[in-house]
Amino acid sequence: MSTALTPPADAIPPVRHPDAPAPGELLGAHYEHCFGCGGGQPHGLHLAARAGEGVTVTAEFTVTGDHQGAPGLAHGGILATALDETLGSLNWLLRVIAVTGRLETDFVRPVPVGTVLHLEAEITAVHGRKIYSTATGRIGGPEGPVAVRADALFIEVKVDHFIDNGRPEEIQAAMADPDQVRRARAFEVNP
């Protein structure tokens, strides 16, 4: 792990927000058109994340033929995307808007098409606007062999980050959503 992903000595343990989803609760897509979790992406991952205990989440996605790199195997970028999406969903447990600042991924073994990848992620520390986290992806279930790992640094941002940098049509549509939770979650983990 790089030094940028090592929390400083004065980092504090993460604290789950009192209004965070309950353990076991399906988090759902943060944005319909997100490649990682949105249902509006026909070739997306359709990753389904659930809140865990403390500041953890679990997620699953099935590797399809649309996710191939080498014949019959998941593309490494797709696996990194699954880890990033899972890690990003952790921020909903803190009830903060944060973006990926750094993602370091280790590819341990190939992941065949048709595999269900089981992901587990946890926030390890917080230091100011920096949120440190780690994730593991296992083949076939929570006890399966480790296929991928990642350590990440997320940076807390304000919604202006998206308003100032996103395409106006999508920003306006997301902000016009009458569902307050969906509106807030649309800006939760995008880079």
Side-chain angles (χ1 to χ4, degrees):
M1 177 175 14
S2 75
T3 56
L5 295 173
T6 303
D10 60 342
I12 61 171
V15 177
R16 183 188 189 105
H17 193 279
D19 295 331
E25 187 175 329
L26 185 64
L27 300 181
H30 75 91
Y31 178 55
E32 180 67 15
H33 299 289
C34 173
F35 182 80
C37 65
Q41 292 290 341
H43 303 294
L45 303 185
H46 304 142
L47 189 129
R50 290 189 180 279
E53 297 292 331
V55 284
T56 66
V57 297
T58 59
E60 288 186 352
F61 92 96
T62 301
V63 178
T64 71
D66 294 322
H67 304 140
Q68 292 183 85
L73 296 173
H75 188 288
I78 293 292
L79 298 175
T81 300
L83 288 163
D84 186 45
E85 185 68 31
T86 304
L87 288 157
S89 67
L90 286 165
N91 298 312
W92 192 240
L93 301 179
L94 300 181
R95 297 297 292 261
V96 300
I97 301 170
V99 296
T100 310
R102 184 174 182 97
L103 177 70
E104 189 173 294
T105 306
D106 295 315
F107 300 94
V108 179
R109 72 178 66 237
V111 179
V113 168
T115 297
V116 175
L117 193 66
H118 179 84
L119 300 126
E120 298 175 355
E122 173 181 21
I123 298 173
T124 57
V126 176
H127 187 259
R129 294 177 43 226
K130 295 179 178 181
I131 302 164
Y132 297 85
S133 53
T134 189
T136 303
R138 296 176 179 271
I139 294 176
E143 304 304 319
V146 173
V148 291
R149 284 190 281 266
D151 291 300
L153 171 64
F154 280 78
I155 309 297
E156 185 176 349
V157 297
K158 301 296 180 202
V159 75
D160 291 349
H161 170 86
F162 303 99
I163 294 169
D164 295 344
N165 296 292
R167 284 195 331 180
E169 310 83 66
E170 281 87 356
I171 298 297
Q172 290 167 1
M175 293 192 73
D177 190 322
D179 184 307
Q180 183 178 6
V181 171
R182 260 196 330 254
R183 188 170 58 242
R185 290 207 61 213
F187 302 103
E188 164 183 298
V189 295
N190 294 319

